[in-house]
Amino acid sequence: MARFAASPHDKLTYYVYPTPYGPVTIAERAGAVCAVALGDVRLDGERRPAEATNACSTQLLEFFAGKRTSFDVPAVLEGSDFQVRVWRAIEAIPYGQTRTNREIAEAIGQPETYRMVGAAVRKNPLAVLVPAHRVVGANGRPTGADRSAQLRAAFLELERRHA
């Protein structure tokens, strides 16, 4: 994923795109994707498509079709230093593989922070682009029993089929 610096003062625009897994809301600020949320989510900003959101939608559709394993849209990670370190470690998980919160904590050099890692994983602002679906419980499966857990399991299955 291409790195981009955007100011929180830049105007946010977002749009909702259909996918085989349901709607996905994609937001951009200053030409860089700053949020990808599963579902039709209302955000503070203008609801309209933009070049960055359209490009991200296209790449997500390619991913869902098994034709893409990584993303190169301009994107910005907005979070604390710790969260950004966790999200970058998640980005390093190879396509089709998984890691636990404890393994991510060890990868960032702070093994005692595995619970904080779990909180950062849940706050991931770039669903699928930062593949938090690759972070699983100790049993090797996505945690939770809600719609989000079902989608994460589906994304893992998709990756395993195409890896």
Side-chain angles (χ1 to χ4, degrees):
M1 179 172 36
R3 296 278 177 238
F4 188 88
S7 165
H9 303 293
D10 291 327
K11 186 176 180 179
L12 181 122
T13 62
Y14 71 98
Y15 200 69
V16 180
Y17 296 88
T19 77
Y21 295 92
V24 173
T25 303
I26 305 170
E28 68 85 33
R29 188 186 316 276
V33 174
C34 59
V36 177
L38 304 175
D40 186 339
V41 179
R42 177 147 173 62
L43 301 173
D44 290 333
E46 185 180 352
R47 184 175 176 144
R48 67 172 173 80
E51 185 176 336
T53 61
N54 287 341
C56 184
S57 172
T58 297
Q59 290 190 20
L60 284 170
L61 290 173
E62 292 169 352
F63 173 84
F64 295 143
K67 297 177 181 175
R68 175 177 286 277
T69 61
S70 63
F71 300 92
D72 59 8
V73 294
V76 60
L77 287 170
E78 298 173 343
S80 71
D81 289 341
F82 180 81
Q83 288 171 327
V84 170
R85 285 184 29 235
V86 168
W87 298 331
R88 288 193 174 137
I90 292 169
E91 285 180 311
I93 302 170
Y95 183 86
Q97 295 185 24
T98 60
R99 302 288 185 274
T100 64
N101 290 340
R102 188 173 301 277
E103 290 170 320
I104 296 296
E106 290 169 0
I108 65 169
Q110 293 183 276
E112 71 285 354
T113 64
Y114 66 93
R115 284 190 174 93
M116 289 173 51
V117 166
V121 169
R122 288 187 296 278
K123 291 192 180 270
N124 173 20
L126 298 173
V128 185
L129 299 186
V130 173
H133 59 274
R134 296 179 190 156
V135 181
V136 297
N139 63 3
R141 290 182 291 213
T143 57
D146 59 357
R147 173 78 174 136
S148 178
Q150 293 170 349
L151 287 171
R152 291 191 312 271
F155 299 158
L156 283 175
E157 178 56 30
L158 169 90
E159 289 189 12
R160 288 181 179 134
R161 281 195 322 263
H162 295 283

